[in-house]
Structure formats: C-alpha cells, structure tokens
C-alpha cells in the first residue's frame, strides 16, 4: 500500500525557519503532483505549495517568497523549506500526492495524504 510519511515540523519563533520532508513508501509506479496543504484550528485545509507533473510550482499568496517546494521524483519525495515564519503559519501541515500505486495485479491512481505534522510559530 502506498503511504506518505512526513518528518520535520516543530516549534519556532517568528522569523525562524523549518523544513518539512515527505517520502513515499510502498510500491509506487508513477508520481503526478506532490505538495503540501495546511489546516489551522477552526479553518479549512488550504493549499500551501504544489509541484506539478508538468514541472510547475504553485504557492499560496501568503507564502510566496518565504516557502520553497522541491521534489525528487526518482525518490518519490517532496520537501518544503519555510523561511521567515509568522504566527499565522501555525497549522498542521499535510503532505499530498497524486500518485499511481502498483498493487501487483492492478495499478490505482488516487490522492494520498500524510498523517500531518504540527508547525507552531510563537514568540
């Protein structure tokens, strides 16, 4: 079964930096889009950054110039570098993948999510 496994996150002061990493496990046949979403308490989940199959990167307006997404398709991993963090960046961050899993007798394309990792920005 294909899974997304996140690492990184934690607590940092405003202006600080954190790096989130996400790796795939299981039998993966192909990767389309991979990226990061976040969800703050009482708010809906929102897109933070996406690395598309076509090679494009998309960012939420609120993180442009501060966050950078990069991916290694050969390894099935994606990294989010977060700089100049603000209190409003506090949220649970979820890795996302539009992936084609190889299940032996069949392949299944689906949206996959990591378990989430907490990022807290506080003075």
């Amino acid at each position: 079964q294909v899974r997304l496994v996140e690492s990184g996150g934690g607590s940092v002061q405003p202006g600080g930096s954190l790096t989130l990493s996400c790796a795939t496990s299981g039998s993966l046949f192909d990767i389309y889009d991979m990226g990061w979403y976040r969800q703050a308490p009482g708010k809906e989940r929102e897109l933070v950054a996406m690395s598309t199959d076509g090679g494009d990167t998309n960012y939420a307006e609120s993180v442009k110039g501060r966050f950078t997404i990069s991916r290694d398709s050969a390894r099935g991993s994606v990294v989010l570098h977060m700089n100049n963090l603000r209190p409003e960046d506090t949220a649970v961050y979820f890795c996302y993948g539009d992936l084609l899993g190889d299940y032996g007798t069949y392949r299944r394309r689906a949206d996959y999510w990591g378990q989430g990792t907490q990022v807290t920005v506080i003075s």
Side-chain angles (χ1 to χ4, degrees):
Q1 184 175 358
V2 174
R3 288 191 174 91
L4 296 176
V5 182
E6 299 149 342
S7 59
S11 295
V12 66
Q13 292 185 335
S17 299
L18 286 173
T19 297
L20 305 181
S21 300
C22 176
T24 56
S25 66
S27 295
L28 189 64
F29 188 80
D30 205 354
I31 298 172
Y32 301 100
D33 298 346
M34 285 194 79
W36 294 88
Y37 285 74
R38 67 186 180 187
Q39 188 167 18
K43 295 188 177 181
E44 294 189 353
R45 190 172 297 189
E46 64 174 358
L47 173 69
V48 177
M50 188 66 65
S51 174
T52 73
D53 188 34
D56 295 325
T57 54
N58 301 312
Y59 296 93
E61 284 294 325
S62 61
V63 308
K64 282 183 179 178
R66 301 187 297 122
F67 291 11
T68 302
I69 188 170
S70 60
R71 87 185 213 180
D72 185 336
S73 293
R75 293 177 180 267
S77 63
V78 65
V79 174
L80 184 69
H81 297 286
M82 305 184 292
N83 297 316
N84 192 18
L85 283 160
R86 305 167 179 169
E88 54 263 38
D89 295 318
T90 296
V92 178
Y93 285 68
F94 296 90
C95 179
Y96 163 84
D98 176 4
L99 310 173
L100 182 62
D102 189 341
Y103 293 89
T105 58
Y106 68 98
R107 292 173 187 152
R108 177 173 174 260
R109 181 175 177 176
D111 293 337
Y112 292 85
W113 295 90
Q115 78 281 4
T117 186
Q118 178 70 45
V119 170
T120 303
V121 185
I122 189 168
S123 299

